[in-house]
Structures are given as structure tokens and as C-alpha cells.
């Protein structure tokens, strides 16, 4: 049987459905689904994504069977619509649109009004009795077609502002200026008739070819251009950023045209079934009367609000008519479709519609892009509405989206004092500061130089995608919430303000003006994307500390779903408190040496240095006695802050030479205090030098060679715990021995632990001081010998920083010189110090857990390397059966989400009875 490349659809019936995204692309699959649901969609057909691949394989040639299939499908569309493509008396016009598996807003091409020629124009005028509409449609066709088909698809790359589309726009502006018109809609039929002649002459002049006057040539030119746009610059950039594979291809949708530009009872609009910037459950959108779709999304005119509930509050928008008021019956019908679609898809939809002479047509539905706060709120609300399960809810928010809620906003106190220069639509929330640039390429360039920039544009332009990505935030003078910039920025969770009408952008002079204020390239602006306010200068930022009830509710859903525990790596009582606020269930790594860095570290550090520079055990013990009160106090404060939650306290880990003072005054003070000469101090410091300190005298090796060091730490832990318990408080330390490779080391330190425990317990009259005894697993040998090691330990914590270092043999401190090249050349998929290597390091972890639990079935296992907060690594930890992950406090919510997603994904992958399989959703 011949391959099926073309799928037909009409209201009530379609050859495809929403599950066929891989074949029909998102747009095609959803058009088919809407058709099957009986929603009014103009009839049409979809050419499959596979055809795109064939097109490229055949070097741009279409197989003959495609033409036959297209002719057949076109005949069916003609029959349904009661019109004929190319017919002089009753012509059918079609649109030709792209549609990949995953939506790529504005990145590929569209041609509308295909089929208008010198032969069909008179027929359409006679039929519609509306010459203005016909010539308006024709000028749009010439504009789009010459740009998309004759220029871009032909590989012509004119300099910025010199493209045919711009040249034609300038012709239109010239005509408007000459006639004293403000709006495109002021142009009369005669004006437009004159304009199309100017356009045709310009196309011939600039591109050296006439604009085609044959409907079939227009159709196939359009189809070819859409396939061609898959490899267009913008689309390729976007795919690279979003990680979409090149071989997916795009589908092409050819569909009967319906017109929003047929007069006052016609309109076009874009809407979201809920507010995509906040997640609020209100129907949200924008529309324009007497316009075609691209007028709304291209930000050419600032559109009207869909309804009264979502009208922007500022006076600039007060006069704009809402669809709810202007066309109440159509609005009611649209609202009913909104409800139907949301209930059917069980997710927020992004829809496009056209009203032709009072009749509503749906042109598109797709899962709507949203930012982090909106994603979280929708997941919570939809779960509460019983539209989705808890597991579905956790899959609705990506870790990056959740991260947005933990990100900085402008400091509200500073904002009150600041000078606002403009207000626009809050398209992407959060705060941002940066230096102003006016072109996408400058944005990329400046960011490469380490600067933070705000990209300012007159209107939104999908060709700016790389610059938008690089910028901290985006600001435009024109456009609405559904414009390309707003969609793309929102998808990336980027701060974005659009339609700030008070600013005038002069990209040529590289400056903007807002009233009397002039802002030049390089000046600082601060944006509040949540409110849509632009400030002059650089305002301070604060981490979004406002209590967000949806965030809290969402985290509760995650906690209900996940099985993996989540702890934090915290080294101070403040960190411990922060960790608990973020929902940590304990501390998985307390690096005690951190008390020797940072605030208040001077005294303990001096005493530690004395200990390090001691020569005899006697001297060392004396120095340790001085150090001891600091250690105990630090441990006690952190245990107290965690209020009985487990705290994994690691004994001293780093090589001692790290603490040797470098400054002369410090050395002098130290020599004095030790009663030795500077030469002697120098000699002792030199003796600590190691060739390879990462594999040198560190970790448990310090405790083996200087048991008094371990003893000091152990005493601090037991004393702090005993004191807290006697004070009526709760404390649960877990003693962790670092950098071990053999059970013998752990037995050695266990004996010491028991001795100190018994002494402290006796002193306090206690039988047992609660604690666990365990080890880090961060040397490959420890993972391999885990079976024996578990005989002497009650828990393992995988130190994947060192384990990665020693498994790869990549020095964790020196990877900058070579790992980027490995990633560039695709020799490794990612930096293994950021994303856990599941097959090498991961295999060692798997072996370690299995062997450990074979000895001790209830062995507690966690991870405390940096990977503990990286979503993919967290999912790996779930899969291999760890009890918990531990990460920095700010990453705790991300880890809780990733742990919940691990469960949800696991269950979603299980075969379901009677469920239908979806070809690559979202
Ligand atoms: C590790 O090696 O993964 C670890 C947590 O310890 P550190 O980073 O302190 O060496
Ligand atoms: Mg380590």
C-alpha cells in the first residue's frame, strides 16, 4: 500500500486525532481532535511530518503520490466548503501553516489567502460585495508570500530592515502618510487596489520575478516554503535551545480560509483557557476586529481584551472594547468551546479563533505555554477541581518552572523609591536589571562579555530568539500578551514586559525615550515583570520571599507522591533553618570544616591552625582542647535548629594544608602563640605540602593518623547531643566518616566512637546517646567492598563529587580545561559533576547499594554530592532505591518535585488497561 502522507479533516470527522502528534504535528493533531469533537474548524488537510523528512531526503523534490493525495483532499475541502480552488466565480482560498510535534511559536512560516489571482479576485468581489476586503487579503498574500516563499525559502538573506516584507510595509506606510491615515483600517478599497499594484512592481524590482498569478503555483510554493522553514535560521536556533531534534520535521496544514477582516462583524483573536502569566482560572485573551490572525500575534496593533474580567487596569486600556461586550453571542459560544476544550484536554489550552461575519471558527488549540508561577497554580487548581490526579499535577511543572518561584524579584522597598518611566503588560513575571541593548545580536555579544542586558525592541520579532534567550529580560513598546515575545519569554520563565506604549524605541540611534527621559544603549533599567513596570537605573533584587500559597500547596502534592526523602546540605544553624523552611527532612551533610570559613571563623580557625602546626601529640591535644568548645557549640546549634530531625555530621575531611595561613601577619601570630620561630613554622607548614592532596592525607586518614582529631569531633557530637537531651530538647546525630575505602578504617574509627560515646554517656548518667554510625561512599573501592563495609556501618551516603572524580579520573577542580571540549564534541552528554553519570558512576552506586543491603537489609542510603539537587540525578537516586537525597537548601523544592516526578513517570510508563497511547505528548 502507498504511504499515507495526507490526512483530511472537517467539522465532525477527521482521519487523525490528538494522539497522532508525531505524524500530524501538534497543530494538525489538535485540528483533527477538534474536528472530531464537533467544534467548528474550517475543513482542510495535513501533510505528515514524515513528508518533511522525505522532502529533505529527496533534496526538495515531492513524491508524485503526494500531488495525487493533495488533489484528492482539496476536492473534499471544496465539496464541504461549496467553493472551488482557482474557480473564477466561486474561489476557495486556503492557508498553509507549519506545525511541529512540539510547538515552536513564531519560528516557522505561514502563508494566508492562497488562491487569489487576477482571475479569482473579480469573482470574490462579486460574491462578497466587499472589494476592500478582497484587496486587503490580496496585499497580505503578496506581503507574506514574497517574504516567506520568494525570499526566505529561496535562501535570500537581505540586510536587516531590507527584506521584501519591510520594503512593502514601507510602501504601505508611504501611502498612509500621503493620505493622512493613522490605521491600516483607514485604507479604502481604492487605496488597497493601488497598493497591490505598487507591491507587485516592488516584488518584481527587488526579487527579479513576478508575483505568481497561478493558484497551484501559489499552493505548492507555500507548501514548499513551510517545509523549508523547518531548516530556517530561527527554527534551528529555537530547536537548539529547546533540545528539539532536527529529524522530527514539521507537518503542513492546508485549510480553507475564513476571514476576520470582512468588516465590523468579523474579527480574529488568540486566547488562553486560563491566564498563562498567573495561572488564574479566568478566560484570557486578545482580539482585534476586522483583522487577520497575524495582526494579533505579530504585535502590530495593541489588541483589545477578550472580556471585562481581564481588562488591564491602567487607563491606557480603559477605552478598548472587549469581545464580551462587542459580540456577546459569539463570546458565549467561544466560552462554551473554552470549557469543552479544557475538560477534554484537562490542561490549559492556547487557542486561535476567527469570526467571519458573526460566525465563529476555531483555527487552533494546543497546550498553552506558561511560566513557573502559572504552572504551579494551574497544577494545584486543576488537581483541586479533580481535573487531574496528584501524579499528573507533579508532571505539569518542570523543575525549571519551579525554580522561577525561588528566583529574585526587585526589592519592594527600593521599588517604592524608584522612578517608573513606563508601564506595559506583565508578560513574564519576576524582576530583572540589566543594561539596555537594542538588537538581538548586541544582546548575545554583550552577554558573551559577561554583561547583563535587557533587550528593548519596538515590537516583538521571532527572529530575535537568540538575543531574547541571552537577555535577562525583554521589553517591547508594542504587542500584547499573546505576542511572540510574550509567548517565548513565558515559556522560558523570563521577565518580560510588552506593549509599554509610553516608550519610543529608536533602534537606529540606539536609544529609547519615555516622555522626557532618554535611555541610551548601556544604561541600566530595572523591570518588574509581575506588574509590568519599567524603572530607570539598577534596583537591588531580593529572593521572592513572599509566601505563595500555591507553591506551598504544590509542594504538599509532591510530598504526597514521592517516596524518596529530601534533606539538605547545611553547615550553619542559619542554613539549617532555611533548609527546614524549604521542606528538608534532615541534614544529609554537615561539613564541619565550614565553621573555619566565613563569618565568626577567625577564632576557631586560629585554633585549628595551631592544631595543624603542632608537632607532638601532646601539642596537638592542647590545641584541640582549645578548639573543642567551638566545635561543640557549632554542632549543638545546628542540632538544635533541626529539632530532632537527623543531622549527618561529617568528621574533618579536607587535607590539612588547606588551612595553612598565607599572610605574614597571620603566620607571625601563629608562631608566637606556638612559641616557635618563623623558620620552624615554615618548616612545619612545608611538611604538610602534598603533591596530590585530593588523594592525600585527608578524610578518615586524618583520624587514623591522629586519632585525637576524631576524638575531639566525636566528643563534640556526643556532648552536644547529651546536653540538648538533658535540656529537654531533641537531637539525632548521624556520625559520618569521610573518604573511606575499606571496612578496616571504619572498624578503627568505630572503636574510637564507642570509647568516646561511653565516656560522655557515663559523664551525663545516660545509658545511650542516640546516634547512627556510617560512612561516605566516594571512592570506587568503597562501592565495590560495600558488602563488608555495611558490617560496620548503619548508613551510606554517596559522595558523588569525589566518586565522579575518582571514577572518571577527572580532577573536580581542573575540569574547566577539558570538559567543555568533551561536551562540545558530544563525547559526553553533560558535565558529570552536574548531572550524575548513570552508567559509570551510577553502576558503582547500584553495586554499592545492592552489596551493602545484602549484608544489612535496612541499610539507610543517601547521596550528598552536588547531584542531590539535580532533577535527572534525583530520579536516578529514586530508581536505585536510595532513602534520601541531600542538596543545598535552595534546591530542596526542586529535589522534592523531581522525586515526585520519578514516581509519576514510573507509574505512567506502566501499561494501562484500555488507555490510549499518546504519540509524544508536550
Ligand atoms: C562528595 O565528595 O561528594 C562530598 C559531598 O564531599 P566533598 O564535596 O566535601 O568532598
Ligand atoms: Mg568528598
Amino acid at each position: 500500500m502507498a504511504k499515507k502522507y495526507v490526512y483530511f479533516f472537517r467539522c465532525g470527522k477527521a482521519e487523525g486525532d490528538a494522539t497522532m502528534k508525531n505524524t500530524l504535528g501538534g497543530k494538525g493533531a489538535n485540528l483533527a481532535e477538534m474536528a472530531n469533537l464537533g467544534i467548528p474548524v474550517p475543513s482542510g488537510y495535513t501533510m505528515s511530518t514524515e513528508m518533511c523528512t522525505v522532502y529533505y531526503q529527496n533534496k526538495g523534490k515531492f513524491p508524485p503520490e503526494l500531488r495525487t493525495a493533495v488533489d484528492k483532499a482539496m476536492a473534499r475541502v471544496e465539496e464541504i466548503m461549496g467553493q472551488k480552488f482557482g474557480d473564477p466565480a466561486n474561489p476557495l482560498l486556503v492557508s498553509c501553516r507549519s506545525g511541529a510535534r512540539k510547538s515552536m511559536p513564531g519560528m516557522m512560516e505561514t502563508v494566508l489567502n492562497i488562491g487569489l489571482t487576477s482571475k479569482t479576485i473579480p469573482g470574490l468581489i462579486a460574491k462578497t460585495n466587499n472589494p476592500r476586503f478582497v484587496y486587503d487579503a490580496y496585499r497580505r498574500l503578496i506581503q507574506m508570500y514574497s517574504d516567506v516563499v520568494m525570499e526566505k525559502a529561496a535562501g535570500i538573506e537581505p540586510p536587516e530592515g531590507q527584506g521584501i516584507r519591510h520594503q512593502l510595509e514601507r510602501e504601505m506606510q508611504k501611502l498612509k502618510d500621503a493620505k493622512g491615515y493613522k490605521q491600516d483600517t483607514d485604507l479604502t478599497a481604492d487605496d488597497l487596489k493601488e497598493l497591490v499594484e505598487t507591491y507587485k512592481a516592488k516584488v518584481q524590482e527587488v526579487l527579479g520575478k513576478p508575483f505568481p498569478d497561478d493558484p497551484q503555483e501559489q499552493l505548492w510554493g507555500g507548501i514548499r516554503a513551510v517545509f523549508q522553514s523547518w531548516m530556517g535560521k530561527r527554527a534551528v536556533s529555537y530547536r537548539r535551545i529547546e533540545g528539539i531534534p532536527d529529524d522530527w520535521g514539521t507537518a503542513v496544514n492546508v485549510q480553507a480560509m475564513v476571514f476576520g477582516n470582512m468588516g465590523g462583524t468579523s474579527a480574529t483573536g488568540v486566547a488562553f483557557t486560563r491566564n498563562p502569566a498567573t495561572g488564574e482560572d479566568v478566560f484570557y485573551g486578545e482580539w482585534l476586529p476586522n483583522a487577520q490572525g497575524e495582526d494579533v500575534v505579530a504585535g502590530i496593533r495593541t489588541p483589545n481584551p477578550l472580556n471585562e474580567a481581564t481588562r488591564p487596569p491602567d487607563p491606557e486600556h480603559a477605552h478598548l472594547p472587549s469581545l464580551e461586550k462587542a459580540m456577546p453571542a459569539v463570546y458565549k459560544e467561544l466560552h462554551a468551546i473554552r470549557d469543552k476544550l479544557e475538560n477534554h484536554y484537562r490542561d490549559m489550552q492556547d487557542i486561535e479563533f476567527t469570526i467571519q461575519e458573526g460566525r465563529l471558527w476555531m483555527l487552533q488549540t494546543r497546550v498553552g505555554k506558561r511560566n513557573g508561577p502559572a504552572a504551579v497554580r494551574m497544577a494545584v487548581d486543576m488537581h483541586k477541581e479533580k481535573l487531574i490526579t496528584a501524579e499528573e499535577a507533579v508532571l505539569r511543572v518542570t523543575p525549571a518552572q519551579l525554580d522561577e518561584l525561588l528566583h529574585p524579584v526587585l526589592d519592594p522597598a527600593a521599588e517604592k523609591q524608584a522612578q517608573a518611566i513606563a508601564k506595559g503588560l506583565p508578560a513574564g513575571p519576576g524582576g530583572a536589571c540589566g543594561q539596555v541593548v537594542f538588537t538581538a545580536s548586541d544582546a548575545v555579544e554583550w552577554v558573551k562579555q559577561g554583561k547583563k542586558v535587557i533587550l528593548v525592541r519596538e515590537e516583538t520579532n521571532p527572529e530575535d530568539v537568540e538575543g531574547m534567550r541571552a537577555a535577562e529580560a525583554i521589553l517591547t513598546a508594542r504587542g500584547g500578551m499573546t505576542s511572540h515575545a510574550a509567548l517565548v519569554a513565558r515559556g522560558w520563565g523570563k521577565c518580560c514586559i510588552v506593549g509599554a506604549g509610553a516608550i519610543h524605541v529608536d533602534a537606529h540611534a540606539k536609544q529609547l525615550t519615555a516622555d522626557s527621559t532618554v535611555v541610551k544603549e548601556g544604561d541600566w533599567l530595572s523591570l518588574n515583570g509581575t506588574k509590568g513596570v519599567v524603572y530607570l537605573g539598577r534596583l537591588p533584587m531580593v529572593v521572592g520571599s513572599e509566601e505563595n500559597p500555591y507553591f506551598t500547596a504544590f509542594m504538599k502534592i509532591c510530598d504526597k507522591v514521592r517516596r524518596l526523602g529530601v534533606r539538605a546540605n547545611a553547615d550553619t544553624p542559619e542554613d539549617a533553618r532555611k533548609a527546614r523552611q524549604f521542606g528538608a527532612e534532615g541534614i544529609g551533610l554537615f561539613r564541619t570544616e565550614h565553621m573555619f570559613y566565613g563569618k565568626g571563623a577567625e577564632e576557631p580557625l586560629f585554633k585549628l591552625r595551631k592544631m595543624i602546626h603542632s608537632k607532638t601529640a601532646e601539642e596537638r591535644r592542647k590545641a584541640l582542647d582549645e578548639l573543642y568548645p567551638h566545635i561543640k557549640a557549632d554542632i549543638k546549634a545546628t542540632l538544635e535548629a533541626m529539632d530532632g530531625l537527623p543531622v549527618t555530621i561529617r568528621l574533618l575531611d579536607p587535607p590539612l594544608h588547606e588551612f595553612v595561613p598565607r599572610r605574614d601577619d597571620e603566620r607571625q601570630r601563629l608562631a608566637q602563640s606556638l612559641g616557635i620561630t618563623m623558620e620552624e613554622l615554615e618548616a612545619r607548614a612545608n611538611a604538610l605540602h602534598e603533591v596530590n592532596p585530593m588523594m592525600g592525607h585527608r578524610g578518615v586518614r586524618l583520624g587514623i593518623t591522629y586519632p585525637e582529631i576524631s576524638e575531639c569531633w566525636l566528643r563534640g557530637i556526643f556532648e552536644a547531643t547529651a546536653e540538648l537531651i538533658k535540656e529537654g530538647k531533641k537531637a539525632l546525630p548521624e556520625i559520618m566518616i569521610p573518604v573511606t575505602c575499606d571496612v578496616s578504617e571504619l572498624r578503627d574509627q568505630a572503636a574510637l566512637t564507642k570509647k568516646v560515646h561511653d565516656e560522655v554517656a557515663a559523664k551525663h548518667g545516660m545509658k545511650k546517646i542516640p546516634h547512627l554510625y556510617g560512612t561516605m561512599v566516594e571512592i570506587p573501592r568503597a562501592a565495590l567492598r560495600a558488602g563488608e563495609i555495611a558490617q560496620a556501618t548503619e548508613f551510606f551516603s554517596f559522595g558523588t563529587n569525589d566518586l565522579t572524580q575518582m571514577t572518571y579520573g577527572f580532577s573536580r577542580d581542573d575540569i574547566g580545561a577539558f570538559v567543555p571540549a568533551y561536551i562540545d564534541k558530544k563525547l559526553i552528554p553533560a558535565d558529570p559533576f552536574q548531572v550524575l553519570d548513570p552508567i559509570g558512576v551510577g553502576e558503582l552506586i547500584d553495586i554499592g547499594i545492592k552489596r551493602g543491603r545484602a549484608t544489612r537489609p535496612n541499610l539507610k542510603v543517601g547521596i550528598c554530592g552536588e547531584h542531590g539537587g539535580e532533577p535527572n540525578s534525583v530520579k536516578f537516586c529514586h530508581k536505585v532505591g536510595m532513602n534520601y537525597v541531600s542538596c543545598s537548601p535552595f534546591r530542596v523544592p526542586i529535589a522534592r518535585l523531581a522525586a515526585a516526578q520519578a514516581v509519576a513517570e514510573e507509574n505512567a510508563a506502566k501499561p494501562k488497561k484500555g488507555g490510549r497511547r499518546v504519540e509524544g505528548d508536550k
Side-chain angles (χ1 to χ4, degrees), residues 422-435:
K423 215 170 173 284
L425 299 171
C433 307
Q435 290 177 277

Side-chain angles (χ1 to χ4, degrees), residues 653 698-701 737-741 745 776 778-779 806:
D653 181 359
R698 62 175 287 212
V700 69
R701 298 157 209 170
I737 313 294
V739 202
T740 54
C741 60
E745 297 166 318
M776 291 194 71
E778 49 188 341
I779 294 180
M806 291 191 234

Side-chain angles (χ1 to χ4, degrees), residues 589 591 650 653 698 776 778 799-802 812 864-865:
L589 175 61
R591 289 179 169 103
R650 183 172 75 180
D653 181 359
R698 62 175 287 212
M776 291 194 71
E778 49 188 341
T800 45
N801 302 333
D802 275 312
R812 58 195 267 193
C864 63

Side-chain angles (χ1 to χ4, degrees), residues 421-482:
I421 58 162
K423 215 170 173 284
L425 299 171
C433 307
Q435 290 177 277
V436 170
V437 292
F438 292 92
T439 69
S441 51
D442 283 344
V444 172
E445 207 38 55
W446 286 42
V447 168
K448 260 193 209 145
Q449 293 165 21
K451 293 178 181 158
K452 288 183 166 186
V453 304
I454 292 185
L455 177 61
V456 180
R457 301 288 281 165
E458 173 67 16
E459 62 190 27
T460 59
N461 182 347
E463 280 164 30
D464 294 340
V465 58
E466 297 237 32
M468 290 165 66
R469 178 71 171 182
E472 293 289 303
I474 298 140
L475 168 64
T476 75
R478 289 199 277 175
M481 291 285 279
T482 52

